[in-house]
Amino acid sequence: MRQRVVRVALTAALVAVVLLAVPLALAIRSTLYADQRDTLERAALSGAVRVSPDYVTGDPVELPAPPAGGRLGLYDPALRLRAGTGPRTGDTVVRRALAAEVVRGRAGGDLVVAVPVSHDEQVIGVVRASSPASAVRDRVLLAWAVLAGVCALALTVAVLVARRQARVLAAPLEDLSRHSRAVTAGDLSARAASSNVAEIDQVARTHNEMLHSLTELLRHERDFTANASHQLRTPLTGLQLTLEAGLAEDDDARLRPVIEETLATTRRLHDTVEEVLRLSRSRGRSGSVTPDTMVSRLVRDTEGRWHGLFAGDGRRLECETRDVPDDVLVPGAPVSEILGILLDNARVHGRGTVRLTVRDLEDALAFDVGDEGEVEVEGGGEGGTARLFDRGHSGGGPGEGIGLALARDLAVSLGGRLSLAGRRPATFTLLVPVRQEGEDVKGGG
């Protein structure tokens, strides 16, 4: 930011200096040469006034002093030097002046001005004034050097001013960036300070207002989570206690399996509530700590829970683990919840035999859940596949179409990934990082 401001200011100053200095340099050069020619012309005119017509008969001529470093001479119509200093024979400039006109020109590296001397409407001589052009050139170079120094000083001042202005402009933006990083790190109390720049202050105010709104939204969400936790846990716990008491007291062989199944369902519902609440509390943090479960046990429990439901619909559920070591651990509750969502999705929207396959990928496990149906993707391509995991994608009423979205969020919270592996037959793949007993997580999905 600072360097960009300095570059912009320096570029603008450089363009302004060039646009001003180049014409000024040319004007200085033209002016100095014109002044020198004017000086020579004045000297020649002064000499022409002093020339008497009798000089042709030998009368002496007293010419004024020549210009500094120059020469002043009188030439007769035969181009001979009769008085003063200069070439012994008149040059082209003198010859042209014999036509009764003042001539300015160059000759042999000198600036030359020739003024005719007239008497009775006849030119009786020419006064020639000259000076070295190098003297004027030196003055031009000196003036250009002074001009270049002034331009350099102007650019230096421009850089210093630009750097100061860059600090003034960049400081509040850098402060806003620091506060944004603090918010990203979890400090929701960070607020951007005001500055003396109206536009940046507007951005800071908008940032603070947005942060305040987000803070309030998160507070309401936490309050809702706490309230939902209390309101759901209490009746579930009471229901479990009632079922356990009924199971202990009732000896009816017909009711006992029903009570046991209902009790198992309430426990799974309790685990689901706990997992959803854990996901809400750990939003934005992957790999949150959850109890680990052996993969083989997880697959057995899942098969036992869902086999009867599929059998009741006249469908089969096949579970298989391919070369998965017995000591591999995965977070039990969230993985079980994700598999439950995928199996329920296959039960409701799929058809035919449903297969749950676990594959070992060394640092991760792949859980494939597929059936014999087909997944219809709106729009096709990766965009359509991604919309499968959007909340409300199914287009149903309130609460509909959140299963796959919840499963995806649970997978991300574990450091894994959930994706659609195949559209026909429909197959979803869950990648979960694993670890051996007594080891930390080996890798993420």
Side-chain angles (χ1 to χ4, degrees):
M1 172 66 181
R2 296 189 181 190
Q3 293 181 354
R4 185 173 300 174
V5 172
V6 172
R7 284 198 299 268
V8 170
L10 183 59
T11 301
L14 185 59
V15 171
V17 165
V18 170
L19 293 178
L20 178 64
V22 171
L24 183 58
L26 296 177
I28 289 174
R29 179 181 182 278
S30 176
T31 300
L32 290 179
Y33 275 98
D35 287 345
Q36 184 63 22
R37 289 191 177 96
D38 290 342
T39 300
L40 294 176
E41 184 173 348
R42 286 193 298 270
L45 287 173
S46 178
V49 171
R50 297 188 181 189
V51 175
S52 171
D54 298 330
Y55 86 93
V56 294
T57 61
D59 232 17
V61 178
E62 294 184 2
L63 296 176
R71 295 183 293 180
L72 184 67
L74 172 62
Y75 293 82
D76 60 18
L79 301 180
R80 292 175 298 179
L81 179 64
R82 300 296 296 271
T85 58
R88 297 187 63 84
T89 302
D91 51 17
T92 304
V93 177
V94 175
R95 187 179 298 109
R96 290 172 55 193
L98 290 174
E101 61 176 340
V102 177
V103 179
R104 294 184 176 191
R106 285 176 173 266
D110 291 342
L111 298 179
V112 180
V113 175
V115 176
V117 180
S118 301
H119 180 70
D120 291 336
E121 298 182 356
Q122 291 184 351
V123 177
I124 60 174
V126 173
V127 177
R128 178 183 183 276
S130 65
S131 65
S134 59
V136 182
R137 184 174 60 251
D138 292 342
R139 292 168 58 195
V140 170
L141 293 177
L142 178 61
W144 283 1
V146 173
L147 179 61
V150 172
C151 292
L153 178 61
L155 291 177
T156 302
V157 173
V159 170
L160 295 177
V161 173
R163 293 182 63 180
R164 183 179 182 280
Q165 289 300 112
R167 286 195 298 270
V168 172
L169 293 175
L173 292 178
E174 292 170 352
D175 180 69
L176 181 59
S177 177
R178 285 193 298 270
H179 283 85
S180 299
R181 287 196 297 269
V183 172
T184 303
D187 183 11
L188 298 181
S189 63
R191 294 293 185 273
S194 61
S195 64
N196 294 324
V197 184
E199 292 80 3
I200 298 178
D201 284 346
Q202 179 62 37
V203 174
R205 284 193 297 270
T206 304
H207 170 81
N208 291 338
E209 292 171 0
M210 177 189 67
L211 188 56
H212 176 73
S213 300
L214 290 177
T215 303
E216 289 298 309
L217 181 63
L218 291 175
R219 184 179 65 81
H220 288 306
E221 183 178 344
R222 285 194 298 267
D223 292 344
F224 171 78
T225 301
N227 294 334
S229 174
H230 179 270
Q231 294 301 109
L232 290 175
R233 284 173 176 169
T234 301
L236 282 176
T237 302
L239 180 59
Q240 289 177 355
L241 292 176
T242 302
L243 291 174
E244 290 173 354
L247 187 63
E249 296 176 359
D250 198 333
D251 295 332
D252 192 336
R254 293 175 300 172
L255 294 179
R256 192 174 186 85
V258 176
I259 296 176
E260 289 178 347
E261 178 62 25
T262 304
L263 181 59
T265 301
T266 58
R267 287 172 178 168
R268 289 196 296 270
L269 179 58
H270 185 274
D271 292 340
T272 298
V273 171
E274 289 293 329
E275 190 57 34
V276 172
L277 294 175
R278 180 198 66 81
L279 176 63
S280 177
R281 289 191 297 267
S282 63
R283 182 75 64 184
R285 300 192 303 270
S286 62
S288 53
V289 178
T290 57
D292 292 330
T293 303
M294 303 289 291
V295 174
S296 56
R297 178 180 176 182
L298 177 66
V299 173
R300 286 196 306 268
D301 292 345
T302 302
E303 183 177 13
R305 184 187 311 167
W306 288 92
H307 183 274
L309 295 174
F310 281 102
D313 295 338
R315 299 170 62 185
R316 295 177 56 191
L317 172 64
E318 298 179 356
C319 298
E320 177 187 6
T321 56
R322 297 180 181 176
D323 301 326
V324 179
D326 294 335
D327 58 349
V328 173
L329 302 175
V330 293
V335 172
S336 178
E337 185 66 28
I338 296 171
L339 294 179
I341 293 173
L342 295 178
L343 290 172
D344 183 66
N345 187 69
R347 178 169 172 258
V348 174
H349 302 287
R351 62 185 179 84
T353 301
V354 178
R355 294 178 178 83
L356 169 60
T357 305
V358 186
R359 296 179 287 119
D360 182 20
L361 303 180
E362 294 186 0
D363 59 350
L365 288 183
F367 293 81
D368 299 321
V369 178
D371 58 67
E372 298 175 357
E374 179 181 356
V375 176
E376 295 183 1
V377 178
E378 296 181 4
E382 296 183 0
T385 301
R387 284 194 293 272
L388 281 174
F389 299 95
D390 292 342
R391 292 182 180 272
H393 176 73
S394 66
E400 295 294 327
I402 66 172
L404 290 178
L406 175 60
R408 178 199 57 190
D409 293 344
L410 287 170
V412 172
S413 72
L414 300 175
R417 184 174 71 248
L418 176 63
S419 60
L420 177 65
R423 296 174 55 185
R424 183 188 299 175
T427 305
F428 289 87
T429 298
L430 169 66
L431 297 180
V432 181
V434 299
R435 62 186 180 186
Q436 308 293 334
E437 285 189 296
E439 294 183 358
D440 294 332
V441 175
K442 294 167 58 181

